[in-house]
Amino acid sequence: GAGVSQSPSNKVTEKGKDVELRCDPISGHTALYWYRQSLGQGLEFLIYFQGNSAPDKSGLPSDRFSAERTGGSVSTLTIQRTQQEDSAVYLCASSLEAWGQGEAFFGQGTRLTVV
Amino acid sequence: DQQVKQNSPSLSVQEGRISILNCDYTNSMFDYFLWYKKYPAEGPTFLISISSIKDKNEDGRFTVFLNKSAKHLSLHIVPSQPGDSAVYFCAARGWNYGQNFVFGPGTRLSVLP
C-alpha cells in the first residue's frame, strides 16, 4: 500500500485478555517504530526495529508488552493480560532508514480500550 | 517528568493571521527537532524540522525558530488557513536517545474562518 497500515483501527477488550496489534509499514522501509498516546499525553516511544538488528525495547512499559517484526516487514505488538491503563492509541511509524533526519510516516493508529 | 512541553493545550486564531505554537524542552542533549501535525482519526504527518546548528528553518507558510539558550522552539504559520486546524506535536531527539524521538503532548490549533 501507499502508506503505513494498522489494524484493527479500534479494539475493545476485557481486562486480563491478550491483544495483538498489527502494523504494515511502507514497502522498503527498514525502520519501524511503535508509539502510544494516552489521553492528554504526548506520543510515548515503545520499541524500534532497524533492519536485522536487535530491536530497541527500552520504551516497553512492562514485560506484558512484546513486539516482533517478521521478515523485516510486518510488525505485531502484543499486550498480555491487558490492564485499563493500557488504553491508548497505538501508533506505528516507518522510515526508509533510521529516523535520524527528516520524516517518519505514521499509520492511523489503533485505539485500544480495556474495559 | 515531561522533557518536551507544550504548555498551551489549545490555540484559536483568525484565518489570515499568524499562528504561533510554542515548545519547551529540558534536555540540553536534544539536537534535532520536528513538528508533526495530526488530524482526527489520522496518524501524525511530518511538517518541518530543525537541527540545533540552525536557529531558523522555513518552508512555505511554516517557519520554525530555535532558541537553544532558552531551550525553546516555536512554529509560525503565516497566513493561517482553516485547513491548518489540527493538533501539532513538537518532538526532540538527542544523541543519547538512539533513534527515537520524545514528543510533547500537543497543541490543538483552531483557525477560525
Side-chain angles (χ1 to χ4, degrees), chain A residues 35 37 42 45 100-102 104 107, chain B residues 32 36 43 46 89 93 100-101 104:
Chain A
Y35 281 79
Q37 185 183 17
F45 168 74
Q101 300 279 331
Chain B
Y32 190 68
Y36 269 75
F46 171 74
F89 292 99
R93 182 184 65 90
N100 78 78
F101 280 83

Side-chain angles (χ1 to χ4, degrees), chain A residues 16-32:
Chain A
K17 294 285 182 70
D18 298 351
V19 294
E20 284 190 353
L21 312 180
R22 177 186 168 105
C23 173
D24 280 278
I26 293 173
S27 177
H29 280 193
T30 63
L32 186 147

Side-chain angles (χ1 to χ4, degrees), chain A residues 102-103, chain B residues 32-37 45-51 56-65 73-77 88-91 101:
Chain A
E103 57 184 298
Chain B
Y32 190 68
F33 305 88
L34 304 173
W35 284 93
Y36 269 75
K37 72 176 182 182
T45 56
F46 171 74
L47 195 56
I48 194 169
S49 65
I50 189 166
S51 165
K56 176 183 174 181
N57 189 26
E58 189 173 354
D59 184 2
R61 297 185 297 112
F62 303 91
T63 303
V64 56
F65 295 92
L73 65 157
S74 61
L75 174 68
H76 292 212
I77 307 174
Y88 289 77
F89 292 99
C90 169
F101 280 83

Side-chain angles (χ1 to χ4, degrees), chain A residues 46-70:
Chain A
L46 297 177
I47 189 169
Y48 158 61
F49 296 90
Q50 172 60 46
N52 295 321
S53 302
D56 176 358
K57 303 180 182 180
S58 60
L60 295 179
S62 79
D63 59 8
R64 297 186 294 105
F65 287 72
S66 63
E68 61 179 25
R69 188 179 185 191
T70 54

